[in-house]
Amino acid sequence: MLDQQTLLITPELIASAQNYSEYREMIDQLLAENKTTGINHSEGYLNYTKMNVQRMNRWDKTAKISPELDKIVASISSPQVWLVITEGWCGDAAQSLPFIVKLAALNPLIELKFVLRDENPELMDAYLTEGARSIPILIALNEDLSKEFFVWGPRPEFLQNRLKAYKLDPQNITSKEFADGTHLWYARDKNKAIAEELTPLIASTI
């Protein structure tokens, strides 16, 4: 992984990657043109993207960081680069990104950047989840990109296990019903699971 990371996550990639504001503006502009990120501009993917904008808007306003996690992030004393692989149509990304953005904003030493999965297939293939190009993926590195601190994603462990169980046995639940259940879980969880999973990971970088 480190050899691939050193090769694929370059200063040039980070320099060309987007910040959150640029990422959101790109999605808004694409939607204005009846497009989304990637090559699939079907009505379904457009609808996913529109719903995701609403989700991100909501979490941008309501996501909260616990005092414990706030203190840990604030304790980071050396520059870090947080790179997120994502797409505008990805529901899990829309649920997680605003929380990650608020975390990064707690410490000016954290540089948070976003790249698109389908524009970076080699990078994505270095961070597969059980063989799948699942997103979002958060990769935390040191300033010169020579050391990978941790990787998180594409979703909280509970949801990852739920997805694996669904693929093994759908139990007469449609894909839409499954997705609706996923987003209901996110709404009820209020970022607690991602906070619990990221807390020890971030603490290990201090």
Side-chain angles (χ1 to χ4, degrees):
M1 178 67 76
L2 286 179
D3 288 341
Q4 289 177 305
Q5 167 241 298
T6 302
L7 177 66
L8 297 171
I9 303 181
T10 62
E12 291 77 18
L13 176 68
I14 299 302
S16 65
Q18 296 173 310
N19 61 34
Y20 187 55
S21 295
E22 292 166 338
Y23 173 71
R24 294 296 307 274
E25 289 169 5
M26 173 192 65
I27 292 173
D28 289 343
Q29 181 59 44
L30 286 170
L31 284 173
E33 302 169 4
N34 286 320
K35 296 179 181 179
T36 184
T37 60
I39 60 174
N40 187 337
H41 305 299
S42 67
E43 183 177 352
Y45 269 57
L46 289 174
N47 288 334
Y48 294 149
T49 306
K50 291 173 183 175
M51 286 189 290
N52 288 339
V53 168
Q54 295 175 357
R55 290 171 180 136
M56 288 187 287
N57 287 343
R58 183 170 63 250
W59 286 125
D60 284 341
K61 296 175 183 176
T62 62
K64 291 181 172 58
I65 310 297
S66 70
E68 175 196 10
L69 188 49
D70 186 325
K71 183 178 180 180
I72 290 172
V73 175
S75 298
I76 293 173
S77 57
S78 298
Q80 296 187 9
V81 176
W82 289 10
L83 179 65
V84 177
I85 307 172
T86 185
E87 290 283 349
W89 44 259
C90 176
D92 287 296
Q95 298 284 8
S96 302
L97 296 194
F99 186 79
I100 293 171
V101 169
K102 289 201 173 187
L103 279 180
L106 295 172
N107 193 318
L109 292 174
I110 300 173
E111 180 182 15
L112 177 62
K113 289 296 192 77
F114 299 85
V115 294
L116 297 178
R117 183 191 77 169
D118 294 348
E119 291 183 2
N120 298 275
E122 287 185 277
L123 176 64
M124 181 70 257
D125 286 348
Y127 291 94
L128 299 177
T129 302
E130 297 180 12
R133 289 179 169 180
S134 302
I135 49 175
I137 297 293
L138 166 63
I139 308 156
L141 309 113
N142 65 347
E143 184 178 19
D144 67 4
L145 312 178
S146 64
K147 181 178 180 181
E148 179 185 282
F149 289 132
F150 66 83
V151 178
W152 180 89
R155 58 188 63 86
E157 183 179 6
F158 174 86
L159 290 181
Q160 183 65 18
N161 290 335
R162 178 174 177 266
L163 178 61
K164 286 192 288 186
Y166 174 71
K167 287 182 175 180
L168 289 172
D169 183 11
Q171 295 186 335
N172 298 318
I173 299 176
T174 67
S175 58
K176 182 183 184 305
E177 289 169 335
F178 179 83
D180 289 346
T182 296
H183 293 297
L184 179 61
W185 183 91
Y186 274 118
R188 291 175 172 171
D189 181 71
K190 300 184 187 302
N191 299 299
K192 292 178 183 175
I194 183 174
E196 290 176 0
E197 293 177 16
L198 284 176
T199 295
L201 296 176
I202 296 172
S204 71
T205 73
I206 299 173

